[in-house]
Amino acid sequence: MGDQPTPAEDGAPEEAVTAEDETAEEAPPAEDETGVEPPPAEDETAEVAPPAEDETAEVAPPAEDEPAEEAPPAESVEESSRPDEAATAEKPSPGEETVVLRAAEPAAKQSDDTVILSAAAGRRTNDDTVVIRLPTAPPTGARARPGVSALTTVRKQAGEETVVITLPQPATREPGDETVVLRLPVEPEPRPRDVYSLGWAPWVLAVSSFGVVLVALAYAGGRHEAGWAMAAYWTGQIIVFSPVVFRLLSRLAGVGESFVLVMGLAANQYMLKWMYSPDQFRFPDELQHWLATTLITESGDLFRPNNALPPAVHFPGLAEMGAGLSLLTGLPVTAAGTIVAGVAHLVFVGLLFAAVLRAGNSPAMAGVACVTYATAMHYLFFNSMFLYATAALPYFMLTVWAHRRWRTGGGPRFLALAVVGIAMTTVSHHVTAFALVATLLLLAVTELALDRPRPWATLIPPAVALTVVCAWIGLVGRDVIAYLEAPVQRLATALSQMFGGGGEPAGASEPVPLTQLAVQGLGLLGLFVLFLAVARDMILRKDRDTWRWAALVGGAVFFAGNGARFLGAGGPEIAGRLSTFTYVPMSIIAAIAIVHAVRIIPDKDENGRRWLSVPPPGIAITTGRRLTNQVYVGTTLLTLLMIGARTGGWPPVSALLPGPYMPAAYERSVDAYGVDSAHWQAENLPPHTRVGGDITAVALSSTYGRTDPVREVGPLYWADWWSATEEETARRLAIGYLVVDRRLGDSVPVDNAYFQDDPMAGRITEPLSEAQLGKFDLIAEMSRVYDNGVVRIYRLEAS
């Protein structure tokens, strides 16, 4: 899937044109043989384009006052064999590699474009040199004209006007014989590629693994608040990522090496996620799925009620896999979940590589697409956590790959495999299922719009997907609609604010730091430039490849949704969750631009137009200095994207390193004090007891504590005193217990809110006061039932 026509199936675009099959007949000899200096090729890019089927590539005839000395191309040899032509060609016998051209008298030259070979005047005996003078080359930078080869253009740009080809003289040649023998080079036996060759992959991944060690040391330093930890973290992240990108952009890696590099990078980056918290799950969503998996291992039944995340009950794919591994191996649920999430993450990356390789037939483009996707904001943590989205993504990509195989002649078995992928995605995660329906519909619409006759069969996968998803949600997961209503409203509000709609301004959230905004903005700007360059080429070339157009539309959706990342503290989360799906086509577009050397600033055409000039057909072969610059620029851009993803993704910048407790900082808020209080609840409170608290307390109480969470308790904590209003709120919410972490009074929350649906969200300038946290000890209707010195639990007697 490139911006240029792809070569044969067994070759990569950068290897599709070789010296043997394109320039063997025109290659100039060495300087010591003919006196012609070969052209410099350091910074030249040859646009190699095959002629159209109904065209004949011809060498233009010489001027009238010059002797005809040009050699006709292979296509014109057959044309000149007609009886009324001056030059004739003898057909070689099967397997013979010799073409014989018999030159006629110069006077026999016809008025057509036939080129006559004749002996040069004054030729010495045994002189086998035939001089072919090339026609005037187009101006430098102009698009190549039909009939002017890439070698012609390159040599003309180098200032050389003559290509000299020395022909061997037949041993039986007699004096006066005007026969010129052109011996075509015998093509070497195609050497089978070793697709399993690892190349430099082990050494590159060894360097990348050193970066993993640096990040591990940074995590250890962060737990002890060492000053050097952050520098070690960023150094390690760059070492993990950039060497792999550099090797892939060099385009020296074959299929096997590219695949190993991509999978090795995914494994190393998953290690970075696991090392952040190797002993237990700390992210609230992971804790919710830990509970769902634990319930299955305890009961052996699916669809067990889960108060922490009710919709997860009806999407049991992840929990079933985790419970199965735990029961089969005896591993704890945490260990089994870590393995399942890691395997699912690697399978997704592998299927993404296979899908792009199948579409583009280029290991370089497949590898670059995968490493570009690794710069998504939620790729490192959120998309590799023990979440049901992580389990659904491999099935999502399996469906896309199977759809591609089916539409390219793979047969009905791939359609059946796509249906299986649709079903597995649907029962694993609701949002991923919605995204799959949209993706299949986009592929179908682009194919219907561009192909003639219209392939109506392409509507089968989206129709099946829509039917399966609607049936599952309508009959089984009916509560998912109410669950998604709140985030949809938040997204609508954010988009309304972004486009200048009504409502309060986004200033309710703390603004994103300028440095972080600049890094993210530069990365996005680079992607946008690549997107526009590919879009321009496709439009002016009238590209009709349906998959490239689908990727282009998906890239436009990525930019439309990505603006949400600049809407304050909640923006990165909204944009990150959207980019999990929209960044796939954008990564493919970026790979097309980088690997196929799409010109950011196009050349002028013969009319002096730059932006409306039609891009040259064929495959751009970049070599020399230009390729070197392209590798360095591409590596820098992708590294910048990775840094922007780490600063704007998950965890937040303030929690990039593990360390001491921080209020409302998700992973950084889970420690022994909170976990111990949750275990006490599991041992001492009746099941499904209604317990309220801050974001972290609710997450721990509803998972480790097995209680029923109450999240709308912010007004009870912000109140200076327990009045009739607070009493009525507690009664309405049926609260039985409140968890109070005294450390909420030490600092403001990282995410600008202590509680879910916090009434003070975005307006918190100082932490909760001692009076606000201590009032619960002075209320007659409450009694303290648990205290570990930091976390206290109060029972509401009236309840």
Side-chain angles (χ1 to χ4, degrees):
M1 183 185 296
D3 72 309
Q4 312 285 3
T6 55
E9 287 293 324
D10 59 348
E14 64 273 13
E15 298 167 347
V17 182
T18 59
E20 290 85 1
D21 57 9
E22 289 293 338
T23 59
E25 294 87 344
E26 299 177 346
E31 184 178 0
D32 57 350
E33 294 181 7
T34 64
V36 179
E37 182 180 355
E42 302 170 356
D43 56 352
E44 300 295 341
T45 300
E47 301 287 346
V48 183
E53 294 179 8
D54 57 348
E55 296 181 2
T56 300
E58 299 178 353
V59 179
E64 292 294 333
D65 56 348
E66 295 182 6
E69 299 177 63
E70 284 83 4
E75 289 87 349
S76 62
V77 172
E78 294 181 5
E79 301 252 348
S80 63
S81 62
R82 293 173 296 179
D84 57 340
E85 297 292 346
T88 61
E90 296 181 4
K91 293 185 178 180
S93 59
E96 185 179 353
E97 296 294 340
T98 302
V99 176
V100 180
L101 299 179
R102 299 191 182 279
E105 296 296 329
K109 186 177 187 302
Q110 304 296 321
S111 59
D112 60 10
D113 290 333
T114 303
V115 179
I116 307 300
L117 277 179
S118 62
R123 193 166 100 176
R124 299 190 305 272
T125 305
N126 298 327
D127 183 4
D128 297 322
T129 301
V130 175
V131 179
I132 302 177
R133 299 193 181 278
L134 302 176
T136 303
T140 302
R143 183 167 60 90
R145 297 174 299 174
V148 181
S149 68
L151 179 62
T152 303
T153 304
V154 171
R155 293 187 62 84
K156 286 293 184 180
Q157 291 176 352
E160 175 60 54
E161 295 295 333
T162 304
V163 174
V164 179
I165 302 176
T166 301
L167 304 174
Q169 179 178 352
T172 59
R173 186 171 180 177
E174 298 178 358
D177 185 2
E178 297 296 334
T179 300
V180 178
V181 180
L182 298 177
R183 297 190 181 278
L184 304 180
V186 180
E187 287 195 19
E189 286 293 327
R191 186 173 55 186
R193 283 172 165 184
D194 185 4
V195 297
Y196 302 105
S197 173
L198 298 183
W200 283 85
W203 301 103
V204 174
L205 292 177
V207 175
S208 178
S209 299
F210 176 70
V212 175
V213 175
L214 283 180
V215 175
L217 294 175
Y219 286 163
R223 294 185 181 97
H224 295 86
E225 301 184 86
W228 52 265
M230 189 58 73
Y233 172 83
W234 285 115
T235 303
Q237 287 279 10
I238 293 173
I239 293 177
V240 167
F241 184 77
S242 298
V244 175
V245 176
F246 189 91
R247 177 63 179 174
L248 288 171
L249 287 178
S250 69
R251 286 174 249 169
L252 299 176
V255 176
E257 183 180 354
S258 298
F259 180 76
V260 171
L261 286 171
V262 166
M263 298 302 289
L265 176 62
N268 282 345
Q269 292 186 313
Y270 185 73
M271 289 290 292
L272 302 183
K273 180 266 173 189
W274 171 73
M275 291 186 306
Y276 191 95
S277 177
D279 59 332
Q280 66 179 114
F281 294 136
R282 284 182 164 84
F283 186 69
D285 288 26
E286 284 188 300
L287 293 173
Q288 293 167 352
H289 292 289
W290 171 89
L291 176 60
T293 306
T294 302
L295 292 173
I296 296 177
T297 60
E298 292 175 349
S299 64
D301 299 329
L302 296 177
F303 307 111
R304 301 289 295 178
N306 181 353
N307 291 326
L309 187 62
V313 174
H314 304 120
F315 298 91
L318 174 74
E320 187 176 5
M321 289 188 287
L325 180 61
S326 178
L327 293 173
L328 285 173
T329 61
L331 291 171
V333 170
T334 299
T338 301
I339 295 173
V340 167
V343 172
H345 183 65
L346 293 176
V347 170
F348 167 74
V349 174
L351 286 170
L352 175 61
F353 181 91
V356 181
L357 180 66
R358 167 61 57 175
N361 194 33
S362 166
M365 200 178 81
V368 172
C370 289
V371 297
T372 303
Y373 186 79
T375 64
M377 286 193 297
H378 282 184
Y379 174 88
L380 183 61
F381 269 72
F382 201 82
N383 290 348
S384 58
M385 289 180 175
F386 186 58
L387 311 177
Y388 49 3
T390 303
L393 284 173
Y395 297 114
F396 172 92
M397 192 51 60
L398 173 66
T399 305
V400 174
W401 174 81
H403 182 274
R404 170 70 183 183
R405 292 299 309 273
W406 173 57
R407 297 309 299 157
T408 53
R413 65 182 185 275
F414 289 103
L415 176 60
L417 183 60
V419 173
V420 172
I422 290 170
M424 295 302 298
T425 304
T426 302
V427 301
S428 296
H429 187 221
H430 40 77
V431 175
T432 306
F434 299 152
L436 180 58
V437 173
T439 301
L440 294 176
L441 186 61
L442 173 61
L443 293 173
V445 169
T446 53
E447 193 171 353
L448 288 173
L450 296 174
D451 287 357
R452 296 293 183 275
R454 300 188 190 278
W456 296 105
T458 190
L459 291 174
I460 295 176
V464 171
L466 183 61
T467 302
V468 171
V469 171
C470 290
W472 185 262
I473 293 178
L475 300 176
V476 181
R478 286 175 289 185
D479 55 347
V480 74
I481 302 299
Y483 172 75
L484 293 176
E485 184 178 357
V488 169
Q489 289 179 348
R490 288 197 299 267
L491 176 60
T493 302
L495 292 177
S496 176
Q497 293 171 352
M498 181 172 64
F499 292 106
E504 294 185 4
S509 297
E510 182 178 331
V512 180
L514 183 59
T515 303
Q516 177 180 338
L517 208 66
V519 173
Q520 296 173 8
L522 285 175
L524 279 176
L525 180 61
L527 282 179
F528 189 64
V529 169
L530 297 181
F531 174 83
L532 291 180
V534 174
R536 173 195 171 276
D537 278 17
M538 290 177 60
I539 293 172
L540 293 180
R541 190 183 292 112
K542 299 180 181 179
D543 194 313
R544 300 189 66 83
D545 185 279
T546 59
W547 282 69
R548 284 196 289 270
W549 275 108
L552 195 69
V553 173
V557 175
F558 163 77
F559 285 109
N562 205 61
R565 82 160 66 189
F566 302 107
L567 299 178
E573 181 182 358
I574 296 174
R577 299 208 181 201
L578 288 175
S579 67
T580 296
F581 309 103
T582 60
Y583 206 55
V584 172
M586 187 60 241
S587 300
I588 296 173
I589 292 297
I592 291 173
I594 295 174
V595 174
H596 288 324
V598 175
R599 290 186 178 273
I600 304 301
I601 302 178
D603 293 328
K604 294 181 179 179
D605 60 10
E606 60 273 8
N607 298 320
R609 301 176 305 179
R610 184 181 301 277
W611 301 107
L612 295 179
S613 62
V614 179
I619 296 169
I621 308 299
T622 307
T623 59
R625 186 181 308 145
R626 182 168 295 170
L627 175 60
T628 302
N629 294 338
Q630 185 177 325
V631 171
Y632 283 117
V633 171
T635 303
T636 302
L637 173 61
L638 292 178
T639 302
L640 183 67
L641 287 171
M642 182 273 296
I643 294 174
R646 298 296 86 83
T647 58
W650 197 265
V653 175
S654 57
L656 284 176
L657 299 177
Y661 173 89
M662 297 174 62
Y666 297 96
E667 293 95 334
R668 283 287 297 269
S669 302
V670 177
D671 63 357
Y673 292 105
V675 173
D676 287 345
S677 69
H679 287 158
W680 180 89
Q681 297 172 51
E683 296 171 359
N684 297 276
L685 299 184
H688 310 302
T689 301
R690 299 274 289 173
V691 178
D694 62 274
I695 293 175
T696 304
V698 166
L700 294 174
S701 298
S702 61
T703 53
Y704 291 145
R706 308 291 184 94
T707 61
D708 190 4
V710 184
R711 298 179 170 88
E712 306 87 352
V713 296
L716 303 181
Y717 288 77
W718 284 109
D720 294 328
W721 183 248
W722 190 267
S723 64
T725 302
E726 286 69 42
E727 180 69 28
E728 176 59 27
T729 301
R731 183 180 297 107
R732 176 173 54 83
L733 297 174
I735 298 174
Y737 292 81
L738 287 175
V739 179
V740 178
D741 193 320
R742 305 286 296 182
R743 294 171 294 184
L744 298 181
D746 294 340
S747 59
V748 297
V750 172
D751 202 30
N752 298 300
Y754 287 114
F755 311 93
Q756 293 186 11
D757 299 323
D758 195 325
M760 294 291 293
R763 296 180 290 124
I764 302 174
T765 56
E766 57 184 18
L768 287 165
S769 66
E770 179 65 27
Q772 290 170 327
L773 294 175
K775 66 176 180 287
F776 301 103
D777 286 319
L778 306 176
I779 301 172
E781 294 83 3
M782 289 189 182
S783 58
R784 189 193 306 176
V785 295
Y786 176 84
D787 188 350
N788 62 18
V790 173
V791 179
R792 297 174 179 177
I793 300 177
Y794 295 89
R795 181 176 64 213
L796 276 67
E797 301 293 349
S799 302

